[in-house]
Amino acid sequence: MKSIKFCWIVNSALFILSFLGLFANPVIGQDKSNPLKLEVEADLISYLFKGYSIHAAVCYGNFRSSIGAFAIQQPNFFVSDDNFTVYSQGFDIKTDYLFGEHKGWHAGLQVGYGKDRIGLKDTPEEMDLWGFSFGVRSGYRFMLGKREKEYSGFYINPWIAIIYVPDARTVKLADKAFTQSAFSPFPTVHLGWRF
């Protein structure tokens, strides 16, 4: 069942990315000074916390749209109740406005769909909470490629988002209750490659 859900997420992500590419290509094709650029990136922090992260993006003009799949075992200091563990996974779509020439400050919006697997420590009890999330984000892109090559190559992108879960719920496992946070910060650093 887990592999079916993961395949569905990956296929959905590829479909949406293809759609974004088809939409952006005619617009960018007319602007020879600012062509369509593709990027891939990962959040290494997710891998440190028993998860994964892969994202693909298209840059067009001063905008960048990406789609990705992620998972992370939320660190103890992010979980509101020490009796519980939370493993989050899903996929998201982000669009940012780039204030510079593909480097420097950016800000944007994101929407995601995924689940939080809530587990009660030292017991086999767990529950999955599925839902949408919305966020505002900002960060700074350090492009290590050369300007004359349109910054192709490696880049580092630290950013922070404020995530809102509109249907945050309280669940009860055994005799203990866990309440999802409606708002939460998400700071991270993505490493990427620009083609």
Side-chain angles (χ1 to χ4, degrees):
M1 188 67 171
K2 289 180 184 176
S3 63
I4 292 171
K5 286 181 182 174
F6 182 75
C7 288
W8 180 83
I9 290 170
V10 170
N11 287 332
S12 297
L14 292 173
F15 172 78
I16 293 170
L17 184 61
S18 299
F19 178 78
L20 289 174
L22 290 172
F23 173 74
N25 197 29
V27 174
I28 300 307
Q30 297 172 3
D31 184 4
K32 301 297 184 195
S33 67
N34 203 351
L36 177 72
K37 297 296 282 187
L38 301 176
E39 299 176 351
V40 294
E41 62 185 36
D43 179 351
L44 297 186
I45 294 172
S46 293
Y47 293 94
L48 294 175
F49 289 101
K50 302 177 185 175
Y52 56 85
S53 164
I54 186 70
H55 304 266
V58 291
C59 293
Y60 47 100
N62 281 78
F63 290 92
R64 179 181 185 274
S65 294
S66 70
I67 187 162
F70 64 88
I72 188 168
Q73 178 72 49
Q74 292 190 19
N76 289 335
F77 57 84
F78 261 73
V79 179
S80 60
D81 188 325
D82 291 339
N83 295 306
F84 293 90
T85 61
V86 179
Y87 188 80
S88 300
Q89 68 184 102
F91 69 95
D92 59 22
I93 300 170
K94 304 178 182 83
T95 295
D96 291 316
Y97 180 80
L98 308 171
F99 293 99
E101 263 186 278
H102 301 292
K103 66 176 188 172
W105 292 104
H106 64 85
L109 303 172
Q110 68 182 68
V111 61
Y113 184 75
K115 74 174 177 182
D116 284 342
R117 174 164 287 163
I118 313 299
L120 184 59
K121 288 182 180 176
D122 302 322
T123 75
E125 293 201 43
E126 55 187 28
M127 180 180 288
D128 291 344
L129 299 178
W130 289 87
F132 284 95
S133 63
F134 303 91
V136 294
R137 46 186 259 113
S138 183
Y140 192 94
R141 287 163 47 98
F142 296 93
M143 308 301 286
L144 303 181
K146 296 182 179 180
R147 181 177 182 180
E148 57 270 17
K149 294 188 176 182
E150 298 174 3
Y151 302 105
S152 295
F154 184 69
Y155 66 89
I156 303 169
N157 185 19
W159 55 271
I160 186 167
I162 304 299
I163 307 295
Y164 171 60
V165 177
D167 59 346
R169 290 164 270 177
T170 298
V171 297
K172 195 167 186 178
L173 296 176
D175 60 344
K176 301 193 183 307
F178 177 83
T179 301
Q180 271 184 309
S181 296
F183 289 93
S184 58
F186 183 74
T188 193
V189 178
H190 280 199
L191 303 180
W193 187 268
R194 181 178 172 90
F195 295 97

